[in-house]
Structures are given as C-alpha cells and as structure tokens.
Amino acid sequence: MKVVAAIDQGTTSTRCVLFDHAGRMVSVAQHEHRQHYPQPGWVEHDALEIWRNVERVVPEALRSAGLAVADVAAIGIANQRETAVVWDRRTGEPAHPAITWQDTRTAPLVAELNAGPTAALFEEVCGLSPAGYFAAPRLRWLLDRVPGLQERAEAGDVLFGTMESWLIWKLTGGPIGGVHVTDVTNASRTMLMDIDRLAWDDRLLAALDIPRALLPEIRPNVAVYAECTAAAPGVPIGGAFGDQQAALFGQTCFAEGEAKFTYGTGSFLLLNTGTQRPTPSNGLLPTVAYAIGEEAPTYAVEGSIAMTGSLVQWFRDSLEMIRSAPEIETLARSVADNGGCYIVPAFSGLYAPRWQPDARGIIVGLTSFVTKGHLARAVLEATGWQTAEVVDAMTAVAPVPIQRLKVDGGMTANHLLMQFVADVLDVPVERPLVLESVSLGAAYAAGLAVGYWPDLEVLRNNWHRAARWEPAMPDDLRRRERENWERAVERTYDWVR
Amino acid sequence: MPIQSVERAAAIIELVDAAPLGLTEIARAMDLPKPTVHGLVRTLVDVGFVQQDPDTGRYSVGDRLGRVGHGLDRHELRSLATNWSDRLAARLRLEVHLAVPDGFDALVLLDHVFRPDDSPQTLRIGEHQPVHATALGKVLLALAPGVGPVRALSLVAYTSASLVEAAALTAELGEVRRRGWAVEAGEHQPGIGGVAAPVRDVGGVVVAAVGVVGPQQQLLDTSHAPRPAVVQQVVAAGRAISQQLAHRW
C-alpha cells in the first residue's frame, strides 16, 4: 500500500501521520518537545530537539503501519507558524534557540516600527501591520542580540527560516546539499513578503535591515522541493504549509466563500476569498490560502481568538475546577444554563474584531446562586460568543454568507460546545471524519505534487461529515444572551492603566 | 484473616507517601529482607500505585493512586475515543456508536459518528437504548458492573426479533462473555443490525461499549452471523480505546 506522510510540527509536539488514497489515517507517531521560558514572556524551542523528533516519528509511524520508506509516495510538512530560527549553513548549528510565535520579546521593536515612517508600507505590501506576532521582528531581534550574527548574515554564513524551512533543509542534506526554501503561506506570516507578487520585498527588508542572502526561496505549497536524504531517504517532499492554511486545505475549502474554524489553544477562522487579495478590515488579516504549482494563488482572510482551549486549561490548572479538559463538559452539564454568569477571557486584551489592548478578563453576574457548574458553562459560552464575533466580522467581507461552519481540532469532541456554537451562529456546524485537518492538508499538498491524487475534486470527495449540530436556540433567547455577553465585554475595557 | 502481602503493600504506600525512599530504606523501615520488599514494590509500580524516580532510584506515590476514588469521566472517555471511533467509521463505512450504562437497564449514546456517505443524518448523542435489544446493550449487560441482572429487566418486544425470554437472553450473554463481542439482528429496529465490543478501563473493568449499526444485510449474513471483517474491526477499536484509556496517566 502506498501512503502519503505528513509531518505536523506543532507548538508542543511533532507528529508523523500516514494517509491512504481515501484520505484515511493509517497510523500516527508523536513526540513532545520541551518548552523553554528563559524570561517572562519568552518562549523558546530547541530546533535540534525538534529535528531529532522528526527523525524518530517518521520511522515510528511507518513501523506501526507495517510499512517501509519505499511505500511513501511523498512527504508534506505543516508547522507552527511564525516561529523563527537562524542556523549556520556549514555546521547546521542553530545560532540561538528558536523564538516561538507565543514569545513577546519583540514588543518594543514593533512599537518603534509602528511609530516610524514605514508602518504604512508594511500594511500596503505584506498586508500586515507590524506586530510582535510575526516572524521578521524575531529575526531582527536575533540579528541585534546574537553577537556577530548580523555580520555572519551579511557574509552569507547563516540561514533564516520558520520551522518548515529548517526541517526541509535538514531533511534534504543540511550542509551537504540541503535546499533552503519556504512556502507562500509561511512567508506570508513573516511581514517581509509582497502578498501580490509572492516575493521578498526589498523595501521591507531595508526597513528591518535584513540581508537577502539569509532568506529562503519562496515556493508554492504544492510543488516537489527535493528528495529527502534523511528520515525517509529518497522520498520527495511535495509540499509545505503553515498549520492554519494546512487545515483550510485539509478541510477542502477550495471554493471562494468556504471557511473552517480550528479549535485549539487559540482558535482560527480562515475564509477562502478566491484569487483576489482581500483588504484588511475589522482586525481580520489578509493571507495566502495556498498556491498550487505555477497557478495563481488563492487568498484567505483570517480571524483569531486568543483564548479558547487555553481558557479551559486555565480553568483546569489555575482554578483546579476539573482534572482533565474534557471534564468541563460534565461540569457544565450539571446545570441547565449559565445562571446569569459570564466570563470574558481578555487575559491579554481583546483581539479581533474589538482590538482593546487595555482590556482585562472578568467574571461578571456573580450571585450566591452561581456554582462551579455555571462557571464551566460560562467558559464554554465565551468560546461560542467569541466565535460568533469573528464569524460576524468575516461575514462583512465574505463574498457569500457563511451557510455552515466546518470545524476541526480537539475541542470539537465537546458536544455541548459545538451545539452552543451552532445555536449562537444560527447556522449548522459540521465536523469532518478526519479531525486531523492540519496533517491532512500537508499530505494533500504533497500527494497532489507527485500525482498520488490527481486533482482537488478527488480530495473534495474524500471529505465526509462525521457530525452535524443544528441550531436549536430560540431567536429571542439568542438575542438576550448576546446582549448580556456584549454588556459583559464592555466591562473589560480600559482596565489597565 | 488479614492477608499479609496486602498489609505490607499498604504500609509501603504510606512509607513512600511520607518521603521518597530507596529500596534499602523501605526494607529497613519494615524490617523485611530486601528481595521480599523488592517484589512488593515492583508489583505496586506495575499497577501504578508507586513510581520510581529514574534519576535517584527512589520510590514515591504513583499518579494512579491520586485517581483512585474518581471514576473515568465520560466526556474524557469520548474525547480519548474520538480518533478510534472516527477510524472505525472510515474503515467500515458504517455509523459508529459509543455507549455507557445509564442505570441498570439502559445505556446512553456518548458519541455518534455519522455513516461517512454524506447522506442527511441526525446526531444521536444522548439517545437512550434498552440494554437487552442492542449489541451495545448486550455488551454492557454481559460485562459491565451494575448493569442487569436479566431478571430485573423488563424484556420489551421492540420487534418480532427482540429477545423477550430471560433464558434465551442469558444464554446469549454467555456467548458475549465467551467471544468478547455482541450482535443485534433487527431486535431494536426492524432491519437494523449491529456489532459491539467492550471498552475497558485500566484494571479491566468494562466501562463502555463501541459498535457499528447499519442495514442488517450489510453487516450480517442470512443466518444472522456478522461478517468477520466487521467483528474484527469493532473488537480492534474496543481494544484501541481501552489502550488509550490505560495511557491517560
């Protein structure tokens, strides 16, 4: 049996998932890596540890399926986005631990950039206003703070990449012939790529004083980059994707107006906007959805919620109300409704579409009637209402109204939450049979590149509905609850002085 | 009469709860030979009540002991089972159900994966079923503690095929225990067949059942025996979910 392998290099772990022709999961292997917190707000990963995990998970996934390297038609990669690493092109040694997307050390640098003359240029060219969220400020920080790195970069001795670049370089030989590439979706999250031309922009490079020699070549998502010499020798790497775009592709949202919502630590809504570059609005970000070979790229708008799964984790670990995350459903079902209690998780301000950096979280509506069951409801409902706000913002720019919401991610196992999302959106919510949309998207890219799958239509037919939640909330109740939620949100504003 | 090794095991747990200890220290505190203590400690480590620090070699109370007294949360069960339930549906192209007991005579559907043919289907999570008329129910009735006994059930005839004689049901439950899976043949809904297998928590207690349902002719042959491939996949899913439960701590 021939399979396609996806390497999903995530924030906490690295996995290899094998898929068959029908897009069904054949096997999976996974290893976690360590999180390093050298200072408050700093979060780093050891790029070599992650590489060693890649070397382990690929053979492990093959072994558990009883397959050999020769059975793998292609490898695709999906990765945590915006995590930056710089390494020596001769030794393969990282110059510094990888700075992850959760890391906030570049805030002062970004503030300076936003006050300077080039802020508008960034938005015009790459579609993004400078923010600490993206990869380029991390690269600038590395060039400033690692002794001698700027000189080594100018001399062409070091290479920069997000995780897919690093892994592809390692997989294809490293110092001996390793290819140094990135894909359009990861590049679109650096703040350095012209989102129309899909090329590095010299003006943006100049604004951050980043030598071009350091940067990988930008390639389509679906294209054979090179053959592996390690982990799966001889197997072509047929594609790479940033994780959220991979999930959009894995959910087969190939048509304009199709959208998916991935529920994880944070949550991300991506809406396919076709071949037109979307204009930024309401705090939604324009981004590249995918590029297939030499075809024109497809664009997307992205809206995110900072705290969804992480709010449940906080409820578990900091409040110790539950022992495991799924138990929140048990607790929430112990009561009939929220008992008048609302939680707004503005732990580090409010993001799209409100953008209130000085807001902080609140629990409001407390009375002696309220129990921890009501708090559990309020935690889940916060995810539902935030979903509704992002979907509403998206609807304003969508070419067609969103008729149904395709969801994926671990929280979709929470039946109470999914029903609530359907209720507050007043559209059906559907989950696919393969919940591993990120891995599936990477596999689809690689499989298309080598002809394992002939076209997008075949992939679309692989998508199967595993569950569908129909809206069932009366209109007047929805209106009343939404008003309450909005009154609660307003009470979080301007808390930080 | 007290059983000595149980008393000693309890004493070891209390000792290492007070402070992490090495084997020599435990042996000295209990005034027992080291090989005796070693056997007891190894057994406690194997069942997860005691754990050993890989660096210092010292023993302390195991994670599992903290969980004693808390049953398996049913939504954690659903979450841990999801990947396997989905896989079962993908492989057999049938609707998948995961069920837990609800009282002594009924079950409740904890998860439901649609038949992957994109036809309109309604989510059945939360649906109650009688334990004597479905494959899931027979698994729970035969194997799960607190479900049954047969003589306490009212054996309602849902169809002409329902088992309404206690003796016949008891004989079939014996079969379920012997072979480790159960079948239904139009006993709850006419024309609908099902195959189900047990899901066990650590320690082997049956806590749930996983199974497929669908048109009888798709699952069963004319003598109501299920297709071997269906049985094999359903039993494998039950085992895989059980292993997932064992790995949760």
Side-chain angles (χ1 to χ4, degrees):
Chain A
M1 177 176 59
K2 277 269 182 185
V3 295
V4 174
I7 295 171
D8 176 3
Q9 202 299 293
T11 305
T12 58
S13 73
T14 302
R15 312 193 310 150
C16 177
V17 188
L18 305 180
F19 293 97
D20 67 9
H21 266 286
R24 296 180 297 195
M25 234 170 85
V26 175
S27 74
V28 56
Q30 170 168 355
H31 285 288
E32 297 197 348
H33 54 263
R34 281 166 299 175
Q35 309 289 319
H36 300 277
Y37 306 100
Q39 290 188 28
W42 291 27
V43 191
E44 298 177 347
H45 290 161
D46 176 353
L48 283 171
E49 181 187 7
I50 287 173
W51 163 244
R52 283 191 296 269
N53 284 346
V54 168
E55 284 185 299
R56 291 160 74 193
V57 290
V58 177
E60 283 173 11
L62 285 169
R63 207 175 309 132
S64 89
L67 296 172
V69 169
D71 298 315
V72 183
I75 285 186
I77 296 170
N79 57 289
Q80 51 168 328
R81 303 180 303 176
E82 301 113 7
T83 293
V85 60
V86 172
W87 67 94
D88 187 298
R89 73 156 76 225
R90 285 179 191 85
T91 65
E93 268 311 303
H96 187 273
I99 305 180
T100 76
W101 61 274
Q102 305 134 294
D103 188 292
T104 57
R105 77 184 67 183
T106 60
L109 205 150
V110 168
E112 204 178 303
L113 209 55
N114 274 320
T118 54
L121 184 69
F122 276 96
E123 175 145 358
E124 181 198 320
V125 177
C126 72
L128 308 169
S129 301
Y133 200 59
F134 306 115
R138 299 198 174 100
L139 171 55
R140 185 62 258 158
W141 187 95
L142 288 167
L143 293 171
D144 286 338
R145 300 300 183 90
V146 179
L149 197 61
Q150 180 81 23
E151 292 71 32
R152 287 165 72 196
E154 278 161 13
D157 291 339
V158 292
L159 302 174
F160 158 80
T162 37
M163 293 315 283
E164 83 296 349
S165 296
W166 161 247
L167 294 180
I168 294 168
W169 188 79
K170 290 293 279 182
L171 281 167
T172 55
I176 311 151
V179 300
H180 187 217
V181 296
T182 183
D183 72 274
V184 291
T185 64
N186 275 297
S188 80
R189 309 285 297 186
T190 55
M191 250 170 65
L192 298 173
M193 186 184 80
D194 180 331
I195 194 172
D196 290 315
R197 294 188 303 113
L198 308 185
W200 303 122
D201 185 271
D202 285 324
R203 294 164 296 172
L204 302 185
L205 295 182
L208 282 165
D209 191 20
I210 288 173
R212 195 180 249 272
L214 192 67
L215 300 177
E217 182 192 350
I218 301 175
R219 300 293 313 274
N221 301 98
V222 179
V224 175
Y225 305 142
E227 273 185 9
C228 293
T229 60
V235 176
I237 303 176
F241 257 126
D243 52 12
Q244 292 307 321
Q245 282 91 342
L248 186 73
F249 205 74
Q251 285 260 34
T252 67
C253 295
F254 302 136
E256 191 174 341
E258 289 188 317
K260 68 87 205 177
F261 217 129
T262 301
Y263 287 93
T265 308
S267 295
F268 296 84
L269 174 61
L270 268 76
L271 170 83
N272 182 324
T273 58
T275 50
Q276 287 301 310
R277 167 188 169 170
T279 42
S281 67
N282 268 343
L284 303 174
L285 302 175
T287 193
V288 182
Y290 56 86
I292 299 176
E294 300 313 308
E295 291 171 27
T298 298
Y299 290 94
V301 278
E302 173 174 327
S304 56
I305 309 175
M307 293 201 68
T308 48
S310 52
L311 182 63
V312 177
Q313 282 163 15
W314 170 79
F315 196 67
R316 181 193 64 194
D317 299 336
S318 299
L319 297 192
E320 298 182 26
M321 296 275 191
I322 45 176
R323 286 174 305 129
S324 70
E327 246 186 79
I328 194 165
E329 183 171 352
T330 311
L331 189 53
R333 282 187 189 280
S334 67
V335 293
D337 56 32
N338 62 23
C341 176
Y342 299 82
I343 296 179
V344 184
F347 284 34
S348 45
L350 288 166
Y351 290 68
R354 293 179 184 266
W355 301 104
Q356 295 284 334
D358 297 330
R360 282 301 176 269
I362 56 161
I363 303 176
V364 71
L366 292 179
T367 61
S368 49
F369 175 70
V370 170
T371 65
K372 63 180 181 178
H374 298 109
L375 292 177
R377 284 249 168 194
V379 162
L380 295 177
E381 291 185 3
T383 294
W385 289 119
Q386 290 181 97
T387 302
E389 292 192 342
V390 174
V391 168
D392 286 352
M394 200 67 90
T395 303
V397 297
V400 284
I402 294 171
Q403 305 277 1
R404 59 171 180 162
L405 192 66
K406 285 181 174 180
V407 297
D408 54 61
M411 277 178 104
T412 58
N414 189 318
H415 180 63
L416 182 74
L417 173 63
M418 290 301 109
Q419 183 60 53
F420 189 75
V421 170
D423 283 344
V424 301
L425 293 180
D426 203 18
V427 298
V429 169
E430 296 184 345
R431 80 165 180 94
L433 191 55
V434 177
L435 269 181
E436 310 289 345
S437 299
V438 171
S439 296
L440 189 58
Y444 278 170
L448 280 172
V450 299
Y452 182 82
W453 288 291
D455 54 37
L456 299 182
E457 209 40 49
V458 166
L459 302 183
R460 202 189 274 285
N461 291 334
N462 277 349
W463 191 95
H464 296 296
R465 191 186 304 118
R468 177 180 166 105
W469 291 270
E470 299 285 349
M473 189 184 268
D475 288 341
D476 57 337
L477 179 61
R478 182 185 310 111
R479 259 196 309 276
R480 210 162 54 236
E481 284 298 306
R482 175 128 197 184
E483 264 175 41
N484 286 344
W485 162 259
E486 282 174 1
R487 289 193 302 134
V489 173
E490 281 158 24
R491 280 163 174 74
T492 67
Y493 287 14
D494 301 317
W495 181 255
V496 178
R497 290 193 176 155
Chain B
M1 188 186 95
I3 297 184
Q4 199 180 38
S5 56
V6 176
E7 287 183 333
R8 285 174 174 173
I12 290 171
I13 291 168
E14 291 198 331
L15 270 173
V16 301
D17 186 35
L21 296 175
L23 195 61
T24 313
E25 294 160 304
I26 299 172
R28 196 178 307 132
M30 296 184 64
D31 198 18
L32 285 172
K34 256 170 83 167
T36 309
V37 172
H38 184 256
L40 288 162
V41 169
R42 280 319 316 166
T43 308
L44 286 168
V45 169
D46 288 344
V47 300
F49 281 16
V50 164
Q51 63 194 14
Q52 186 175 21
D53 186 310
D55 297 328
T56 65
R58 286 168 178 269
Y59 295 94
S60 59
V61 170
D63 290 341
R64 186 170 163 202
L65 207 52
R67 303 249 181 176
V68 169
H70 305 277
L72 170 66
D73 179 81
R74 55 171 60 178
H75 297 106
E76 188 176 9
L77 167 62
R78 182 205 288 149
S79 180
L80 291 167
T82 295
N83 267 337
W84 303 104
S85 312
D86 287 0
R87 223 165 132 159
L88 185 60
R91 289 189 175 179
L92 292 177
R93 310 225 146 255
L94 290 166
E95 179 175 343
V96 170
H97 293 173
L98 178 71
V100 291
D102 190 62
F104 72 98
D105 62 348
L107 61 83
V108 61
L109 294 187
L110 190 58
D111 202 2
H112 170 205
V113 185
F114 287 178
R115 190 173 61 250
D117 59 6
D118 301 320
S119 61
Q121 293 164 69
T122 304
L123 207 52
R124 295 169 65 181
I125 294 174
E127 182 180 306
H128 287 84
Q129 293 176 358
V131 284
H132 72 283
T134 63
L136 293 164
K138 287 182 214 170
V139 165
L140 297 175
L141 189 52
L143 297 163
V147 184
V150 168
R151 64 184 143 72
L153 304 175
S154 76
L155 300 178
V156 175
Y158 293 93
T159 71
S160 58
S162 300
L163 289 174
V164 291
E165 300 293 334
L169 181 58
T170 303
E172 183 159 337
L173 296 178
E175 278 293 282
V176 173
R177 276 184 216 105
R178 193 181 54 76
R179 66 194 176 197
W181 49 269
V183 63
E184 75 188 84
E187 297 151 58
H188 189 224
Q189 287 174 290
I192 297 296
V195 175
V199 172
R200 295 172 191 275
D201 199 355
V202 267
V205 178
V206 172
V207 290
V210 65
V212 292
V213 292
Q216 212 167 308
Q217 69 274 15
Q218 223 179 310
L219 278 88
L220 314 175
D221 64 21
T222 43
S223 59
H224 292 171
R227 281 167 33 211
V230 173
V231 171
Q232 188 225 321
Q233 295 282 347
V234 169
V235 169
R239 287 215 185 99
I241 297 167
S242 305
Q243 274 171 19
Q244 191 81 47
L245 297 184
H247 288 150
R248 77 183 189 276
W249 43 56

